[in-house]
Amino acid sequence: MSDTDIETPDDAGAVVPASDRLFATPAGIALGPVDAILPGAARGYVVQMRAGRFHGFVVRRRDAVFGYVDRCPHAGLPLAHALDDYLTPRGDLIVCGWHSAMFAIEDGRCVGGPCIGQSLAAWPVEIVHGVLKTCGPPEPHAQDV
């Protein structure tokens, strides 16, 4: 049995298959202190909810944070091969460890590799009194309206 086959109880006692991956979270979930992410680094987060698990990551640039769903738009795989390894060696781009697709930190747009023109799915996060929290859904792009 693999990790994706293991079933876990949620906080109401219902059994949820671990393979039920979610692609959004509600606002207001405290992820922890923003200082857990060094400036210029990234950190992955797994949020267990009743409907399944959400996998995301946050990149910190000075006092700004950028959150994304941990899923490459090219192949649908998580980006990092190793824990929290989401950035290029220079720390200037997000990189997919599987296919070397590179993404701009500020907006998640693919700037190199097999998925040019696609973007990472945003995961809205904010810093509130030093705590990293999820916030409301992202504003739609003009072309999405």
Side-chain angles (χ1 to χ4, degrees), residues 3-124:
D3 288 86
T4 58
D5 296 329
I6 297 171
E7 294 183 339
T8 56
D10 67 10
D11 39 341
V15 175
V16 177
S19 60
D20 286 349
R21 183 172 273 212
L22 304 176
F23 297 99
T25 60
I29 296 173
L31 300 170
V34 71
D35 290 341
I37 309 170
L38 295 174
R43 181 174 181 157
Y45 291 89
V46 177
V47 179
Q48 177 67 50
M49 294 181 284
R50 288 185 188 148
R53 287 190 181 117
F54 171 85
H55 295 254
F57 66 97
V58 176
V59 180
R60 182 175 175 195
R61 279 213 161 155
R62 294 176 277 300
D63 293 330
V65 289
F66 304 91
Y68 296 100
V69 175
D70 191 0
R71 185 175 189 267
C72 180
H74 170 241
L77 299 169
L79 288 127
H81 275 281
L83 184 65
D84 300 335
D85 190 20
Y86 293 98
L87 303 178
T88 59
R90 289 184 14 201
D92 58 337
L93 295 167
I94 299 166
V95 66
C96 174
W98 300 99
H99 301 101
S100 301
M102 293 177 286
F103 305 88
I105 291 171
E106 294 79 11
D107 62 10
R109 264 200 208 279
C110 183
V111 296
C115 54
I116 293 285
Q118 294 180 304
S119 296
L120 297 172
W123 178 34

